[in-house]
Amino acid sequence: MELRTLRYFIAVLEAGSLSRAASTLYVAQPALTAQIRKLEDDLGAQLFERSHAGMTPTPAGLQLYQDARRLLSDAAAVRERVRSLPQGPEGSVTVALPFLLASLLMGPVLTALKASHPRIRVFVLDDLSLLVRKAMVDRRADVGILVDTAQVDGLRSRPFAREAMYFCGHDTAGTVAPLLQRGAPRTRHPRIAFADAAAQPLVLQSRRFSIRQRVEEAAASQDVVLNIAHEHDSARVIRSLYASGAGFTFTPACALPDAGRRAAPWLVARVVEPELQRSYSLATAADRPLDAAATVVVQALEHQARALIANGRWEAEWLGETDAPPATRARARRPAR
């Protein structure tokens, strides 16, 4: 006995004739007649008295009518309950990452997750790299992207990406442009020797920040003195200073989409001799396996990072594993030059 046959039976009983029911159901009358006869054979009971006036239900037919309506109602309720069950992973995931990287990465990640996994709620802690690490150690975040940090006690880390550092600012006096070197093939930006960059008026954060630490290490290795014009801890103040022409700064490649959209004499050049680099690792709690929702978020972060690198929006080198096709994998692993 099929639900469809029960619907046909109810339609015949309520219409009072096979012809009217067939018209309502958009079914040929011979096919409908065959369905009713098969139902009677299956049940071993006559369901209708047939006459020239139409179809009159027998006591067995009336009983089946009541039971069939209840069965169809129960079937509809089952279907609705199944459809309303959560589709895919569900839960909340907190991601901590440096705010410069967050501006590039999290827009595409959150947009993709909203479409593919709407029941996963993602909370973002975008902060300075020092505070991102602290958020992971304090268990205030489930997933973190750490800067220049291979391993931390209590965390499980794996390589994520590596990017170059750039020198940028307003060359209002026109003194920096002659110092630029031609860029390598397939790159949008010229290059500048670190010693030449260090001699310009600089706006930098204090030594406790990772970018300043990289600059200080390069200066020590080259026996170069940094020409610091302004020093502030606030990244927003630093940005305001170099944007207003108060000096130049060093910035990672992930910030270039914002830093590069300025009118001349705005200058962006890749730092070489030595080249300054910044590495990222993806961290999770070592003693707590990822749940289904956090696993989806990690996969989204990795997928979007690979995509940004492959399409040239992020001048970086992918360091993690990839399930991309070979051609895409080759582009993603190609270091920026």
Side-chain angles (χ1 to χ4, degrees), residues 4 9 11 15 18 37-38 69 105 118 127 152 175 187 235 252 261 267 271 283 286-287 305 332:
R4 182 182 63 176
F9 163 75
L18 283 165
R37 290 194 184 280
K38 183 177 184 301
R69 288 178 62 88
L105 183 60
D127 215 322
V152 178
T175 56
T187 61
R261 298 193 193 107
L267 176 148
V271 180
D287 59 351

PDB file of all heavy atoms in Angstrom, residues 4 9 11 15 18 37-38 69 105 118 127 152 175 187 235 252 261 267 271 283 286-287 305 332:
ATOM      1  N   ARG A   4       0.648   7.274  -2.281  1.00  0.00           N
ATOM      2  CA  ARG A   4      -0.010   7.822  -3.465  1.00  0.00           C
ATOM      3  C   ARG A   4      -1.369   7.141  -3.689  1.00  0.00           C
ATOM      4  O   ARG A   4      -2.369   7.796  -4.021  1.00  0.00           O
ATOM      5  CB  ARG A   4       0.875   7.642  -4.694  1.00  0.00           C
ATOM      6  CG  ARG A   4       0.272   8.232  -5.971  1.00  0.00           C
ATOM      7  CD  ARG A   4       1.177   7.984  -7.165  1.00  0.00           C
ATOM      8  NE  ARG A   4       1.323   6.543  -7.417  1.00  0.00           N
ATOM      9  CZ  ARG A   4       2.003   6.047  -8.448  1.00  0.00           C
ATOM     10  NH1 ARG A   4       2.614   6.870  -9.298  1.00  0.00           N
ATOM     11  NH2 ARG A   4       2.089   4.751  -8.623  1.00  0.00           N
ATOM     12  N   PHE A   9      -7.401   7.132  -3.320  1.00  0.00           N
ATOM     13  CA  PHE A   9      -8.610   6.617  -2.679  1.00  0.00           C
ATOM     14  C   PHE A   9      -9.413   7.742  -2.027  1.00  0.00           C
ATOM     15  O   PHE A   9     -10.641   7.843  -2.174  1.00  0.00           O
ATOM     16  CB  PHE A   9      -8.232   5.560  -1.636  1.00  0.00           C
ATOM     17  CG  PHE A   9      -9.310   5.250  -0.660  1.00  0.00           C
ATOM     18  CD1 PHE A   9     -10.418   4.480  -1.033  1.00  0.00           C
ATOM     19  CD2 PHE A   9      -9.267   5.745   0.643  1.00  0.00           C
ATOM     20  CE1 PHE A   9     -11.437   4.204  -0.135  1.00  0.00           C
ATOM     21  CE2 PHE A   9     -10.267   5.472   1.542  1.00  0.00           C
ATOM     22  CZ  PHE A   9     -11.359   4.700   1.156  1.00  0.00           C
ATOM     23  N   ALA A  11      -9.353  10.908  -2.736  1.00  0.00           N
ATOM     24  CA  ALA A  11      -9.907  11.786  -3.771  1.00  0.00           C
ATOM     25  C   ALA A  11     -11.173  11.187  -4.376  1.00  0.00           C
ATOM     26  O   ALA A  11     -12.162  11.907  -4.624  1.00  0.00           O
ATOM     27  CB  ALA A  11      -8.867  12.032  -4.855  1.00  0.00           C
ATOM     28  N   ALA A  15     -14.776  12.911  -3.993  1.00  0.00           N
ATOM     29  CA  ALA A  15     -15.407  13.378  -5.233  1.00  0.00           C
ATOM     30  C   ALA A  15     -16.703  12.628  -5.515  1.00  0.00           C
ATOM     31  O   ALA A  15     -17.598  13.161  -6.183  1.00  0.00           O
ATOM     32  CB  ALA A  15     -14.436  13.214  -6.396  1.00  0.00           C
ATOM     33  N   LEU A  18     -15.357   8.296 -10.062  1.00  0.00           N
ATOM     34  CA  LEU A  18     -14.020   8.114 -10.619  1.00  0.00           C
ATOM     35  C   LEU A  18     -13.665   9.212 -11.607  1.00  0.00           C
ATOM     36  O   LEU A  18     -12.531   9.688 -11.655  1.00  0.00           O
ATOM     37  CB  LEU A  18     -13.931   6.748 -11.306  1.00  0.00           C
ATOM     38  CG  LEU A  18     -13.781   5.539 -10.368  1.00  0.00           C
ATOM     39  CD1 LEU A  18     -14.082   4.251 -11.122  1.00  0.00           C
ATOM     40  CD2 LEU A  18     -12.370   5.506  -9.787  1.00  0.00           C
ATOM     41  N   ARG A  37      -8.904  -0.773  -7.633  1.00  0.00           N
ATOM     42  CA  ARG A  37      -9.102  -2.227  -7.610  1.00  0.00           C
ATOM     43  C   ARG A  37      -7.900  -2.924  -6.970  1.00  0.00           C
ATOM     44  O   ARG A  37      -8.062  -3.886  -6.204  1.00  0.00           O
ATOM     45  CB  ARG A  37      -9.316  -2.745  -9.027  1.00  0.00           C
ATOM     46  CG  ARG A  37     -10.655  -2.315  -9.624  1.00  0.00           C
ATOM     47  CD  ARG A  37     -10.983  -3.118 -10.876  1.00  0.00           C
ATOM     48  NE  ARG A  37     -12.209  -2.650 -11.507  1.00  0.00           N
ATOM     49  CZ  ARG A  37     -13.444  -2.978 -11.085  1.00  0.00           C
ATOM     50  NH1 ARG A  37     -13.587  -3.750 -10.018  1.00  0.00           N
ATOM     51  NH2 ARG A  37     -14.506  -2.518 -11.724  1.00  0.00           N
ATOM     52  N   LYS A  38      -6.710  -2.438  -7.257  1.00  0.00           N
ATOM     53  CA  LYS A  38      -5.516  -3.035  -6.643  1.00  0.00           C
ATOM     54  C   LYS A  38      -5.537  -2.843  -5.137  1.00  0.00           C
ATOM     55  O   LYS A  38      -5.160  -3.742  -4.372  1.00  0.00           O
ATOM     56  CB  LYS A  38      -4.255  -2.419  -7.244  1.00  0.00           C
ATOM     57  CG  LYS A  38      -2.947  -3.021  -6.727  1.00  0.00           C
ATOM     58  CD  LYS A  38      -1.752  -2.405  -7.414  1.00  0.00           C
ATOM     59  CE  LYS A  38      -0.445  -3.065  -6.965  1.00  0.00           C
ATOM     60  NZ  LYS A  38      -0.237  -2.966  -5.520  1.00  0.00           N
ATOM     61  N   ARG A  69      -6.409   9.272   6.128  1.00  0.00           N
ATOM     62  CA  ARG A  69      -6.169  10.695   6.408  1.00  0.00           C
ATOM     63  C   ARG A  69      -5.155  10.857   7.539  1.00  0.00           C
ATOM     64  O   ARG A  69      -4.278  11.727   7.482  1.00  0.00           O
ATOM     65  CB  ARG A  69      -7.484  11.389   6.762  1.00  0.00           C
ATOM     66  CG  ARG A  69      -8.413  11.587   5.568  1.00  0.00           C
ATOM     67  CD  ARG A  69      -9.727  12.250   5.985  1.00  0.00           C
ATOM     68  NE  ARG A  69      -9.483  13.574   6.544  1.00  0.00           N
ATOM     69  CZ  ARG A  69      -9.410  14.695   5.830  1.00  0.00           C
ATOM     70  NH1 ARG A  69      -9.568  14.631   4.505  1.00  0.00           N
ATOM     71  NH2 ARG A  69      -9.209  15.853   6.399  1.00  0.00           N
ATOM     72  N   LEU A 105      41.555  38.444   4.575  1.00  0.00           N
ATOM     73  CA  LEU A 105      41.123  37.049   4.531  1.00  0.00           C
ATOM     74  C   LEU A 105      39.691  36.820   4.988  1.00  0.00           C
ATOM     75  O   LEU A 105      38.968  35.997   4.408  1.00  0.00           O
ATOM     76  CB  LEU A 105      42.086  36.214   5.390  1.00  0.00           C
ATOM     77  CG  LEU A 105      41.880  34.702   5.433  1.00  0.00           C
ATOM     78  CD1 LEU A 105      41.992  34.095   4.039  1.00  0.00           C
ATOM     79  CD2 LEU A 105      42.909  34.069   6.369  1.00  0.00           C
ATOM     80  N   PRO A 118      25.374  27.813   6.867  1.00  0.00           N
ATOM     81  CA  PRO A 118      24.726  28.930   7.575  1.00  0.00           C
ATOM     82  C   PRO A 118      24.509  28.682   9.062  1.00  0.00           C
ATOM     83  O   PRO A 118      24.241  29.630   9.813  1.00  0.00           O
ATOM     84  CB  PRO A 118      23.382  29.071   6.837  1.00  0.00           C
ATOM     85  CG  PRO A 118      23.143  27.735   6.214  1.00  0.00           C
ATOM     86  CD  PRO A 118      24.496  27.213   5.847  1.00  0.00           C
ATOM     87  N   ASP A 127      43.359  41.309  16.124  1.00  0.00           N
ATOM     88  CA  ASP A 127      44.131  42.114  17.068  1.00  0.00           C
ATOM     89  C   ASP A 127      45.600  42.095  16.663  1.00  0.00           C
ATOM     90  O   ASP A 127      45.971  41.544  15.623  1.00  0.00           O
ATOM     91  CB  ASP A 127      43.951  41.559  18.483  1.00  0.00           C
ATOM     92  CG  ASP A 127      43.945  42.661  19.535  1.00  0.00           C
ATOM     93  OD1 ASP A 127      44.724  43.629  19.371  1.00  0.00           O
ATOM     94  OD2 ASP A 127      43.183  42.564  20.514  1.00  0.00           O
ATOM     95  N   VAL A 152      53.996  26.613  20.204  1.00  0.00           N
ATOM     96  CA  VAL A 152      53.683  27.199  21.507  1.00  0.00           C
ATOM     97  C   VAL A 152      53.163  26.074  22.388  1.00  0.00           C
ATOM     98  O   VAL A 152      52.356  25.250  21.939  1.00  0.00           O
ATOM     99  CB  VAL A 152      52.619  28.317  21.388  1.00  0.00           C
ATOM    100  CG1 VAL A 152      52.274  28.871  22.771  1.00  0.00           C
ATOM    101  CG2 VAL A 152      53.095  29.421  20.468  1.00  0.00           C
ATOM    102  N   THR A 175      62.713  61.810  -3.496  1.00  0.00           N
ATOM    103  CA  THR A 175      64.076  61.342  -3.232  1.00  0.00           C
ATOM    104  C   THR A 175      64.185  59.816  -3.201  1.00  0.00           C
ATOM    105  O   THR A 175      65.285  59.276  -3.322  1.00  0.00           O
ATOM    106  CB  THR A 175      64.572  61.897  -1.884  1.00  0.00           C
ATOM    107  OG1 THR A 175      63.636  61.520  -0.857  1.00  0.00           O
ATOM    108  CG2 THR A 175      64.658  63.415  -1.934  1.00  0.00           C
ATOM    109  N   THR A 187      55.834  40.487 -11.109  1.00  0.00           N
ATOM    110  CA  THR A 187      55.494  41.230  -9.898  1.00  0.00           C
ATOM    111  C   THR A 187      55.077  42.639 -10.283  1.00  0.00           C
ATOM    112  O   THR A 187      55.511  43.189 -11.289  1.00  0.00           O
ATOM    113  CB  THR A 187      56.688  41.301  -8.919  1.00  0.00           C
ATOM    114  OG1 THR A 187      57.770  41.980  -9.552  1.00  0.00           O
ATOM    115  CG2 THR A 187      57.113  39.908  -8.491  1.00  0.00           C
ATOM    116  N   ALA A 235      48.559  50.945  15.771  1.00  0.00           N
ATOM    117  CA  ALA A 235      48.673  50.724  14.324  1.00  0.00           C
ATOM    118  C   ALA A 235      47.872  51.766  13.553  1.00  0.00           C
ATOM    119  O   ALA A 235      48.260  52.159  12.444  1.00  0.00           O
ATOM    120  CB  ALA A 235      48.186  49.326  13.978  1.00  0.00           C
ATOM    121  N   PRO A 252      53.342  44.294   5.747  1.00  0.00           N
ATOM    122  CA  PRO A 252      53.306  42.970   5.107  1.00  0.00           C
ATOM    123  C   PRO A 252      52.460  42.981   3.840  1.00  0.00           C
ATOM    124  O   PRO A 252      51.632  43.876   3.627  1.00  0.00           O
ATOM    125  CB  PRO A 252      52.674  42.076   6.181  1.00  0.00           C
ATOM    126  CG  PRO A 252      51.852  43.004   7.004  1.00  0.00           C
ATOM    127  CD  PRO A 252      52.581  44.311   7.007  1.00  0.00           C
ATOM    128  N   ARG A 261      46.230  51.445  -2.986  1.00  0.00           N
ATOM    129  CA  ARG A 261      45.213  52.223  -3.689  1.00  0.00           C
ATOM    130  C   ARG A 261      45.312  53.706  -3.332  1.00  0.00           C
ATOM    131  O   ARG A 261      44.383  54.296  -2.791  1.00  0.00           O
ATOM    132  CB  ARG A 261      43.818  51.702  -3.328  1.00  0.00           C
ATOM    133  CG  ARG A 261      43.570  50.253  -3.728  1.00  0.00           C
ATOM    134  CD  ARG A 261      42.098  49.936  -3.616  1.00  0.00           C
ATOM    135  NE  ARG A 261      41.850  48.511  -3.687  1.00  0.00           N
ATOM    136  CZ  ARG A 261      41.498  47.753  -2.682  1.00  0.00           C
ATOM    137  NH1 ARG A 261      41.322  48.305  -1.492  1.00  0.00           N
ATOM    138  NH2 ARG A 261      41.286  46.465  -2.817  1.00  0.00           N
ATOM    139  N   LEU A 267      54.212  55.428  -2.872  1.00  0.00           N
ATOM    140  CA  LEU A 267      55.247  54.506  -3.331  1.00  0.00           C
ATOM    141  C   LEU A 267      55.144  53.197  -2.553  1.00  0.00           C
ATOM    142  O   LEU A 267      54.982  53.199  -1.330  1.00  0.00           O
ATOM    143  CB  LEU A 267      56.610  55.162  -3.123  1.00  0.00           C
ATOM    144  CG  LEU A 267      57.886  54.396  -3.428  1.00  0.00           C
ATOM    145  CD1 LEU A 267      58.959  55.367  -3.902  1.00  0.00           C
ATOM    146  CD2 LEU A 267      58.371  53.665  -2.179  1.00  0.00           C
ATOM    147  N   VAL A 271      61.026  45.031  -0.123  1.00  0.00           N
ATOM    148  CA  VAL A 271      62.309  45.200   0.547  1.00  0.00           C
ATOM    149  C   VAL A 271      63.209  44.012   0.231  1.00  0.00           C
ATOM    150  O   VAL A 271      62.813  42.851   0.371  1.00  0.00           O
ATOM    151  CB  VAL A 271      62.116  45.323   2.068  1.00  0.00           C
ATOM    152  CG1 VAL A 271      63.474  45.509   2.752  1.00  0.00           C
ATOM    153  CG2 VAL A 271      61.196  46.497   2.390  1.00  0.00           C
ATOM    154  N   ALA A 283      47.005  27.562  14.281  1.00  0.00           N
ATOM    155  CA  ALA A 283      47.099  26.911  15.585  1.00  0.00           C
ATOM    156  C   ALA A 283      45.733  26.515  16.120  1.00  0.00           C
ATOM    157  O   ALA A 283      44.739  27.233  15.937  1.00  0.00           O
ATOM    158  CB  ALA A 283      47.801  27.835  16.577  1.00  0.00           C
ATOM    159  N   ALA A 286      46.141  21.780  21.521  1.00  0.00           N
ATOM    160  CA  ALA A 286      46.788  20.478  21.358  1.00  0.00           C
ATOM    161  C   ALA A 286      46.020  19.358  22.045  1.00  0.00           C
ATOM    162  O   ALA A 286      46.062  18.214  21.601  1.00  0.00           O
ATOM    163  CB  ALA A 286      48.209  20.538  21.908  1.00  0.00           C
ATOM    164  N   ASP A 287      45.305  19.676  23.126  1.00  0.00           N
ATOM    165  CA  ASP A 287      44.633  18.639  23.903  1.00  0.00           C
ATOM    166  C   ASP A 287      43.135  18.567  23.636  1.00  0.00           C
ATOM    167  O   ASP A 287      42.390  17.915  24.364  1.00  0.00           O
ATOM    168  CB  ASP A 287      44.855  18.876  25.397  1.00  0.00           C
ATOM    169  CG  ASP A 287      44.324  20.240  25.851  1.00  0.00           C
ATOM    170  OD1 ASP A 287      43.948  21.051  24.976  1.00  0.00           O
ATOM    171  OD2 ASP A 287      44.288  20.485  27.071  1.00  0.00           O
ATOM    172  N   ALA A 305      42.780  31.248   1.652  1.00  0.00           N
ATOM    173  CA  ALA A 305      44.168  31.721   1.564  1.00  0.00           C
ATOM    174  C   ALA A 305      44.813  31.232   0.273  1.00  0.00           C
ATOM    175  O   ALA A 305      45.485  32.004  -0.428  1.00  0.00           O
ATOM    176  CB  ALA A 305      44.957  31.237   2.778  1.00  0.00           C
ATOM    177  N   ALA A 332      49.901  28.327  -6.306  1.00  0.00           N
ATOM    178  CA  ALA A 332      49.799  28.664  -4.896  1.00  0.00           C
ATOM    179  C   ALA A 332      51.141  28.527  -4.181  1.00  0.00           C
ATOM    180  O   ALA A 332      51.454  29.283  -3.279  1.00  0.00           O
ATOM    181  CB  ALA A 332      48.773  27.755  -4.226  1.00  0.00           C
TER     182      ALA A 332
END
